[in-house]
Amino acid sequence: MLAGYLTLLLFITLVHPTVQDTNADLDQWISKQDIISFQTIHQNVNPHGTKRGFFAASLSTYHPNYFYTWTRDAALVARVLTGLDETSDDTLMDYVQFQIDTQSTETQCGCLGEPKFNTDGSSYQGTWGRPQNDGPAERAVAFMLIAKRWMDNGYQETAWIYHHLVPSLVKDLDYVVKVWYQDSFDLWEEVLGTHFYTLMIMRRALLDSVDFFNAYGKRPVDQYRLTAHLIAKRLEGFWSVEHGYIMATQGVRNGVQKLSGLDVSTLLAANLVASRKDGFFSPGSDKTLATVAALENSFKSLYPINHQQGQNLGTCIGRYPEDIYDGYDTSVGNPWFLATAAFTELYYLAIEEWKRVGVEVNDINQLFFQNIMQIEHGYYGPQSNVLNHLIKDTQLAADRFLKTIKYHQANNGSMSEQYDRYIGFMAGARDLTWSHAAFISASRAKSERFIQ
Ligand SMILES: *[C@@H]1O[C@H](CO)[C@@H](O)[C@H](O)[C@H]1NC(C)=O
């Protein structure tokens, strides 16, 4: 009798494994979600009644109102769209035109670091954290990618690019040269100080511009190269030997206090500069991996939902441990879809880097590898057995974050800004455009078609 019962139990366990996604399930979901995310982004681009080229942060107009275009969000989304063949060049052209106009729009800041604009293209006039100096750098990166795409496939007259896009690009680059060492608000719009993320994207924009003008423009680039060099020196100082991770901000003057200094923005920055392939705080570099481990371990203990996650799911990731923005108001912070997607993307970008240059397991990054597999300190070259094994396990870990997104998003593929730290339900602005762009970026990294 008892044996029969046990057999039945075993049978049930085997036939009904706990909601475990197979790889085929995951792949099938990813192909579907790629399409949904692409479509959702387009619903948020130039919605009815807005000026052409307006990229809404979300269509949510109330509780919270995100029906504005942020220079940052729009540029990050445009960057992803530029990397997709199915994006129409007209959409990119609208984006470029709209952004060129904002540069000469009257703003409270009176500078290119004005963070957000209204549906008609005028600037937001209310009280806000100004300036936000990552915006012009992100836009410069997007503009160069768009210009390259057009020149490579002959969509746009070269003359138009030189007379319209490039002058606007130069304004942004010159602005970065002028302001890079000044205080500005961070990408979360809360802290006035000097930010790792902002400097990283500024450095990328300047280095990209050196390549861009050497190839296409024949403009003097010495100032851009020199500034990128100075920024790199400054960035080195964000590594904390004491903490063993990258600190997000230095010289906080105002705003939210973050005692830990941990912030997922440092990893968003690593993902954004991966295409430089120079190993400088890149996804596979030891200091970035140390920061990945510190952030993951911190969120793992902080969010109650992480204590109930199945083995099959990855850790729910938020912005920073001290976060109190719940998507509507202030109470307690939650995990974010774009932060969770960034982990998948970072792991796959790290794998790409290790395949090229190998990996060194050392005191700095050992915590990261402890979360992946047992591995001795030492250097493992490309093609080595240990590295191949490590890559397989890292891929599994990367996919677990995607499974977390799949689990907490809506069944119809919708993704808001956040998901609740206790029960996982979606929270905050519905279908945040950036959430969907972050998913596509992660999905492309998994299939080794990296967004540049
Ligand atoms: C998708 O699901 C969410 C959450 O259930 C819901 O709020 C939203 O309206 C749905 N979207 C569509 C297009 O049906």
Side-chain angles (χ1 to χ4, degrees):
M1 185 61 197
L2 183 64
Y5 176 70
L6 285 178
T7 311
L8 182 66
L9 197 65
L10 186 66
F11 178 73
I12 290 171
T13 317
L14 287 177
V15 175
H16 296 283
T18 48
V19 278
Q20 290 251 338
D21 274 330
T22 63
N23 284 339
D25 290 339
L26 184 68
D27 289 344
Q28 204 179 32
W29 170 73
I30 290 170
S31 331
K32 227 173 65 190
Q33 188 62 40
D34 272 335
I35 295 167
I36 293 173
S37 285
F38 185 74
Q39 288 168 345
T40 308
I41 289 173
H42 281 81
Q43 281 162 16
N44 295 4
V45 165
N46 206 187
H48 184 71
T50 62
K51 178 178 166 174
R52 280 198 90 73
F54 175 85
F55 280 33
S58 156
L59 297 184
S60 176
T61 55
Y62 164 78
H63 191 66
N65 184 1
Y66 276 35
F67 202 46
Y68 298 97
T69 196
W70 270 263
T71 304
R72 164 189 319 104
D73 297 41
L76 295 176
V77 171
R79 164 181 172 260
V80 170
L81 288 182
T82 306
L84 307 177
D85 290 341
E86 54 272 42
T87 300
S88 98
D89 287 302
D90 293 351
T91 302
L92 300 177
M93 174 58 91
D94 291 344
Y95 163 74
V96 170
Q97 295 269 20
F98 185 100
Q99 292 296 323
I100 290 175
D101 290 349
T102 66
Q103 286 184 323
S104 50
T105 297
E106 199 180 299
T107 64
Q108 285 288 315
C109 161
C111 74
L112 295 178
E114 183 67 31
K116 67 174 186 178
F117 294 83
N118 300 312
T119 51
D120 63 357
S122 64
S123 69
Y124 179 77
Q125 298 284 329
T127 308
W128 211 251
R130 301 182 174 88
Q132 295 177 16
N133 286 339
D134 55 314
E138 283 145 348
R139 181 166 56 203
V141 167
F143 270 32
M144 286 183 273
L145 291 171
I146 292 169
K148 269 189 259 176
R149 172 175 156 135
W150 287 346
M151 293 201 252
D152 292 348
N153 65 24
Y155 163 77
Q156 199 34 257
E157 299 284 328
T158 319
W160 191 92
I161 294 171
Y162 286 130
H163 290 124
H164 297 275
L165 185 148
V166 168
S168 162
L169 166 64
V170 168
K171 273 188 205 168
D172 280 338
L173 294 168
D174 290 349
Y175 178 74
V176 169
V177 167
K178 200 176 87 191
V179 304
W180 71 269
Y181 56 87
Q182 298 174 8
D183 289 330
S184 98
F185 277 86
D186 68 323
L187 80 168
W188 310 131
E189 316 190 291
E190 297 168 336
V191 181
L192 183 62
T194 308
H195 313 286
F196 181 84
Y197 173 90
T198 302
L199 290 176
M200 284 284 277
I201 187 70
M202 285 176 163
R203 176 177 175 270
R204 174 181 172 180
L206 294 170
L207 290 176
D208 282 5
S209 79
V210 171
D211 296 343
F212 181 82
F213 288 123
N214 280 337
Y216 301 105
K218 310 289 173 241
R219 281 187 72 86
V221 292
D222 287 355
Q223 194 69 28
Y224 300 153
R225 190 186 282 116
L226 173 69
T227 307
H229 179 73
L230 296 174
I231 291 176
K233 286 263 165 269
R234 183 78 176 75
L235 280 164
E236 301 274 10
F238 284 75
W239 170 253
S240 165
V241 176
E242 184 198 340
H243 293 89
Y245 53 75
I246 300 163
M247 305 293 280
T249 298
Q250 290 185 340
V252 176
R253 286 247 311 269
N254 207 331
V256 179
Q257 296 295 321
K258 304 178 193 172
L259 283 179
S260 68
L262 277 173
D263 193 310
V264 78
S265 65
T266 53
L267 307 183
L268 302 184
N271 288 348
L272 273 171
V273 305
S275 62
R276 294 295 321 162
K277 295 197 189 333
D278 57 11
F280 186 78
F281 290 112
S282 56
S285 68
D286 51 6
K287 289 172 182 166
T288 297
L289 294 176
T291 310
V292 169
L295 271 160
E296 184 179 353
N297 292 342
S298 157
F299 290 125
K300 205 181 262 176
S301 55
L302 181 68
Y303 295 145
I305 189 148
N306 281 326
H307 308 156
Q308 307 140 25
Q309 294 272 86
Q311 283 276 305
N312 193 39
L313 298 185
T315 306
C316 302
I317 305 289
R319 299 191 298 179
Y320 52 91
E322 301 84 352
D323 198 0
I324 54 166
Y325 176 56
D326 59 20
Y328 310 100
D329 215 322
T330 50
S331 61
V332 289
N334 292 311
W336 281 43
F337 286 109
L338 72 89
T340 310
F343 265 59
T344 297
E345 184 173 6
L346 189 138
Y347 282 33
Y348 277 106
L349 287 166
I351 289 168
E352 186 279 329
E353 191 173 334
W354 300 338
K355 283 183 179 168
R356 263 187 297 117
V357 299
V359 63
E360 163 109 27
V361 179
N362 57 28
D363 286 339
I364 292 176
N365 60 22
Q366 62 179 353
L367 272 180
F368 173 84
F369 292 105
Q370 269 172 31
N371 283 346
I372 304 279
M373 70 179 253
Q374 284 263 290
I375 187 167
E376 307 260 319
H377 283 204
Y379 172 77
Y380 304 97
Q383 310 299 338
S384 66
N385 282 337
V386 176
L387 182 59
N388 288 338
H389 189 168
L390 180 65
I391 286 174
K392 280 213 184 75
D393 282 2
T394 305
Q395 286 168 337
L396 292 175
D399 290 348
R400 284 196 283 272
F401 294 104
L402 285 179
K403 290 176 184 172
T404 299
I405 293 175
K406 175 174 185 281
Y407 190 77
H408 293 294
Q409 68 159 188
N411 287 332
N412 60 14
S414 177
M415 265 186 278
S416 55
E417 181 181 71
Q418 318 184 3
Y419 50 106
D420 187 275
R421 65 153 69 185
Y422 300 103
I423 47 174
F425 286 149
M426 297 206 300
R430 72 183 152 104
D431 282 317
L432 187 77
T433 319
W434 189 357
S435 296
H436 288 280
F439 167 80
I440 291 177
S441 204
S443 145
R444 297 280 294 207
K446 175 171 163 61
S447 57
E448 297 183 292
R449 296 171 300 157
F450 302 99
I451 298 291
Q452 294 301 295

